[in-house]
Amino acid sequence: METDIRINKYISAMGICSRREADRLISDGLVLVNGSPAVSGQRIAEGDSVVVNGRTVNDNRVEPPVLIAFNKPKGIICTSGTKDGGRNIIDYIGYKSRIFPVGRLDKDSEGLILLTNRGELVNGINRARYRHEKEYTVSCADRVSDDFLKKMSGGVRIMVPEGREADGKKSLRQVTTRKCSVKRIDSHTFSIIITQGYNRQIRRMCEALGNKVVFLKRVRIMNILLGDLPEGKYRLVEGRELEALEALLKPEG
């Protein structure tokens, strides 16, 4: 294992959680280095003792790489804790080795989410600049007009969380979403393919256009399809499917 690296990268490489989740755990004081609370950007050297959420990270334990596709039910939260309320995705699945979610799918949404112990997959899939596709089926409370669908596809101005202020409240910033593919399914339902991952992005887009999401299901991440995978069940991503994903993640040039 490489040492003298940032604490969040070390935790991710050890298969504990993603870098983003590691940063959150550090901010919450749940990561100790040599018995003292870790700080953001801290570097880990050979021989350092690292404890994450009460669990010692053992550099000598090498687990086989794994990637699974899970059909998340509504109400399950995609973190390693229960601070947000609801049931933890890791506890719900109960996988035999340590895995963590690739990105998030909000508590009120359902469908496809990937989980792995391979930090490089998480970072590759989550990098917005690579414009990896994610496809959703969305139903709204009100009818979706042609004008609504046109505006959704053309980019919508929304407010998204940026960080926390000194008083602990989340600060917001305005962004315009990228152009995307939107197709009608019926009078209240449409499919959408986005290449970004802002917090509750599709819900915020619909709200900005005066409508409200009542059902949201992710059906595809890049080449990985949800298909007929039953709700609450998972399957291994392997063979040609995994090879195709890894090929898509290779840097160009």
Side-chain angles (χ1 to χ4, degrees):
M1 171 65 65
E2 178 188 2
T3 56
D4 192 28
I5 60 175
R6 288 181 179 270
I7 180 66
N8 61 350
K9 182 178 179 181
Y10 177 82
I11 292 172
S12 173
M14 291 301 298
I16 303 299
C17 60
S18 67
R19 292 191 197 183
R20 180 178 297 180
E21 179 72 2
D23 286 334
R24 187 189 69 80
L25 292 171
I26 292 167
S27 177
D28 290 344
L30 297 176
V31 178
L32 302 178
V33 177
N34 299 326
S36 299
V39 296
S40 179
Q42 182 172 351
R43 304 189 76 84
I44 299 301
E46 185 175 358
D48 283 342
S49 169
V50 179
V51 177
V52 179
N53 204 13
R55 183 173 64 188
T56 300
V57 178
N58 185 354
D59 200 11
N60 296 319
R61 180 181 178 186
V62 179
E63 295 175 338
V66 65
L67 176 65
I68 68 172
F70 174 58
N71 187 351
K72 184 188 90 68
K74 182 177 179 180
I76 302 300
I77 58 171
C78 296
T79 66
S80 59
T82 55
K83 187 176 180 180
D84 299 329
R87 193 170 179 186
N88 176 319
I89 190 172
I90 304 301
D91 292 340
Y92 182 93
I93 295 174
Y95 196 71
K96 58 187 178 182
S97 62
R98 294 178 298 182
I99 55 174
F100 50 91
V102 181
R104 294 193 179 189
L105 192 58
D106 69 69
K107 180 180 177 181
D108 296 325
S109 300
E110 58 189 80
L112 179 63
I113 185 165
L114 304 177
L115 297 100
T116 186
N117 59 2
R118 296 176 56 182
E120 78 280 5
L121 286 183
V122 178
N123 298 325
I125 294 172
N126 285 345
R127 284 177 184 144
R129 67 178 180 269
Y130 294 151
R131 299 176 180 248
H132 297 314
E133 292 185 349
K134 297 177 183 179
E135 184 175 353
Y136 302 78
T137 299
V138 185
S139 293
C140 290
D142 298 327
R143 295 176 62 89
V144 292
S145 65
D146 291 340
D147 182 62
F148 171 88
L149 297 178
K150 182 178 180 180
K151 289 178 178 177
M152 285 286 288
S153 65
V156 182
R157 289 185 179 181
I158 60 175
M159 300 298 292
V160 299
E162 185 174 36
R164 291 187 182 274
E165 303 287 1
D167 59 5
K169 295 182 179 179
K170 288 186 178 180
S171 60
L172 299 174
R173 64 186 175 99
Q174 187 179 75
V175 300
T176 299
T177 60
R178 289 175 184 157
K179 292 183 179 180
C180 58
S181 174
V182 180
K183 295 182 180 180
R184 179 189 301 281
I185 295 177
D186 59 36
S187 61
H188 288 72
T189 308
F190 61 95
S191 67
I192 181 170
I193 300 172
I194 62 174
T195 57
Q196 294 169 294
Y198 290 120
N199 178 267
R200 299 174 71 88
Q201 178 176 331
I202 297 172
R203 295 180 186 275
R204 294 177 190 272
M205 291 170 71
C206 291
E207 288 171 3
L209 297 178
N211 213 330
K212 182 179 180 180
V213 171
V214 295
F215 172 83
L216 192 152
K217 184 174 188 176
R218 185 156 61 197
V219 297
R220 177 170 67 90
I221 299 174
M222 299 175 67
N223 67 305
I224 310 299
L225 302 176
L226 178 65
D228 57 2
L229 182 65
E231 182 179 286
K233 301 297 183 181
Y234 68 84
R235 64 177 178 82
L236 290 174
V237 177
E238 53 190 354
R240 292 184 178 179
E241 186 179 37
L242 178 58
E243 291 173 2
L245 176 66
E246 291 174 331
L248 290 171
L249 294 175
K250 287 183 179 178
E252 295 183 2

